[in-house]
Amino acid sequence: MKNSPYSSKLRVECLEERALLAVTAGGLEQAIGLIAPTESAIWVVNTLEDPSEWDPSDNILSLREAVSRAADGDSVAFASELSDGRIILNGPQLFIDKGIAIDASSIGGMTIDAVGKSRVFEVTGGTDDEPVELIGLTITGGWTYGDGGGIYNSGTLTLTNSTVSGNTASSSYYSYYYSYGGGIYNGGTLTLTNSTVSGNTAFSSYSSYSSSYYSTSYSYGGGIYNSGTLTLTNSTVSGNTASSSYCSYSYGGGIYNSGTLTLTNSTVSGNTASSSSRSYGGGIYNGGTLTLTNSTVSGNTASSSDSHGGGIYNDGYSYIYNTVIAQNNAKTGTDVYNTGFLYAYNTLSSFTGWTESVECLAYDETKPLFHVGNGFCFLADNSQAINKGNNGYISG
């Protein structure tokens, strides 16, 4: 294990055919007779408290302490008695600058709640080979000025079987007049699998102040703001809001993308971009490269005096396969508004002005399409979308 400020108190020593499998507060567990040693350690959190100071010898290990003490390649787990628990942060966000995993899957999950005092996580660590991993977590109650109410990521991060919900990125009256990513701000590499981003808000106030005069304010990405590389698989983005008041603009109620965004087997539903002036992309605003495969964009709204693209506002390059974009709402471009390049294959929508299309279907509101529930859109019996895809677009 790499050196740390606590290496004199608690450390892993790689001995011949000996390896540390777990680290608990105040003690070491060793396994003997393994084929090869390892430098990785598992730090087992055994309290729901979040003290600002800690004693490495007191037999209590908090999540904040474990994150601080873990080295690249280490994991953080939770004691069984903390099953389905909630850790309330005492103020500062949790900062991760190393490639570690926080895994609550063995205890049925763990909620990390910032109760509006800070964002929950800032991630700057991780690599493609050794990413930061968050598994089985609910990330909630985050609040920040500017960007990333729940998570701010500039590293390499994966979320698996996790939920990011009830977080807020807000503009202030004087220092900020932009808000980015109510749930997540991603400027690095972010992968979501079997995860949900719901009920988050990016909000900008009319009285934001800039350059000695009152200025237009902007909100981007109620659920997720992406300027890096973002991949969602088997995931849902629902019920998020990008909202701005007087003389303000909102873009991407569910997701704002200026980087590379890929969704597979995923749903974007019930999101809203709203303002008094301009709102673009109730579900997704794409100004970069977007690929949608076997996905659904439905029930999203762009709401303002100048609203475009209830489902998707495309100002970049979009490639859409086996996807439904229907039953969204906006003044212009109910489902899709396009000012860029838009390629669609075996896709169902009310939009027909594709740059290029193959075997696409025009949505018929008189025919059944969905059963909707819990943020998911299930195909109804006799839905017009049944058996209209093409397996040739499915990798593997």
Side-chain angles (χ1 to χ4, degrees):
M1 176 176 162
K2 295 182 180 179
N3 290 333
S4 73
Y6 301 96
S7 59
S8 62
K9 296 281 188 181
L10 179 64
R11 64 181 179 180
V12 181
E13 294 184 2
C14 294
L15 305 176
E16 183 178 356
E17 294 191 347
R18 300 179 66 165
L20 178 73
L21 292 187
V23 177
T24 57
L28 303 181
E29 299 175 8
Q30 288 187 329
I32 310 300
L34 299 181
I35 294 175
T38 177
E39 293 186 358
S40 297
I42 301 175
W43 302 76
V44 181
V45 174
N46 59 9
T47 179
L48 296 177
E49 300 299 318
D50 181 35
S52 57
E53 298 180 357
W54 54 76
D55 179 356
S57 63
D58 65 2
N59 292 322
I60 297 174
L61 186 69
S62 69
L63 175 61
R64 189 180 298 274
E65 182 180 3
V67 168
S68 175
R69 298 169 71 183
D72 282 307
D74 286 359
S75 298
V76 176
F78 298 87
S80 59
E81 61 266 26
L82 304 184
S83 177
D84 291 320
R86 178 182 296 265
I87 294 172
I88 296 177
L89 302 185
N90 65 16
Q93 65 188 2
L94 296 171
F95 181 71
I96 304 176
D97 61 355
K98 294 157 288 189
I100 65 173
I102 302 176
D103 186 353
S105 59
S106 67
I107 62 164
M110 174 63 66
T111 297
I112 317 297
D113 189 348
V115 294
K117 294 182 178 180
S118 69
R119 91 166 44 94
V120 182
F121 286 103
E122 179 176 354
V123 176
T124 63
T127 63
D128 290 342
D129 294 331
E130 202 165 77
V132 175
E133 298 179 79
L134 304 180
I135 305 167
L137 300 183
T138 296
I139 297 160
T140 190
W143 184 93
T144 188
Y145 285 130
D147 41 32
I151 300 172
Y152 181 99
N153 176 54
S154 59
T156 301
L157 170 64
T158 69
L159 274 73
T160 304
N161 298 327
S162 293
T163 298
V164 180
S165 181
N167 304 282
T168 301
S170 176
S171 69
S172 72
Y173 288 116
Y174 300 103
S175 299
Y176 297 87
Y177 57 103
Y178 296 89
S179 59
Y180 302 92
I184 303 172
Y185 175 100
N186 178 54
T189 300
L190 173 62
T191 302
L192 282 77
T193 304
N194 299 331
S195 294
T196 298
V197 179
S198 65
N200 303 285
T201 301
F203 174 76
S204 293
S205 168
Y206 77 93
S207 54
S208 297
Y209 195 78
S210 173
S211 302
S212 301
Y213 62 88
Y214 289 99
S215 174
T216 301
S217 56
Y218 304 82
S219 59
Y220 298 87
I224 306 174
Y225 175 94
N226 177 57
S227 60
T229 300
L230 171 62
T231 303
L232 291 87
T233 304
N234 299 333
S235 294
T236 299
V237 179
S238 66
N240 303 284
T241 301
S243 176
S244 299
S245 57
Y246 178 76
C247 196
S248 301
Y249 303 152
S250 297
Y251 303 90
I255 303 173
Y256 177 94
N257 176 55
S258 61
T260 300
L261 171 61
T262 303
L263 291 90
T264 304
N265 298 336
S266 294
T267 299
V268 179
S269 68
N271 303 285
T272 302
S274 67
S275 74
S276 61
S277 299
R278 178 186 299 169
S279 57
Y280 291 174
I284 301 172
Y285 180 100
N286 178 49
T289 300
L290 166 65
T291 303
L292 282 166
T293 305
N294 277 31
S295 293
T296 298
V297 180
S298 184
N300 304 285
T301 300
S303 175
S304 69
S305 58
D306 178 19
S307 62
H308 290 48
I312 298 174
Y313 185 102
N314 179 62
D315 191 33
Y317 291 83
S318 291
Y319 305 88
I320 303 172
Y321 307 89
N322 294 353
T323 288
V324 175
I325 310 170
Q327 299 181 352
N328 301 284
N329 185 48
K331 285 191 173 181
T332 306
T334 300
D335 288 325
V336 178
Y337 187 87
N338 181 45
T339 60
F341 298 89
L342 193 52
Y343 304 90
Y345 309 91
N346 293 81
T347 286
L348 185 151
S349 180
S350 66
F351 181 79
T352 58
W354 313 106
T355 303
E356 177 180 294
S357 64
V358 176
E359 298 295 330
C360 287
L361 300 170
Y363 167 62
D364 185 344
E365 63 181 10
T366 68
K367 296 180 179 180
L369 183 59
F370 294 127
H371 294 303
V372 180
N374 297 323
F376 296 94
C377 299
F378 303 98
L379 292 183
D381 295 338
N382 302 316
S383 171
Q384 59 196 288
I386 291 176
N387 291 331
K388 301 301 182 182
N390 184 338
N391 289 340
Y393 299 130
I394 309 304
S395 62

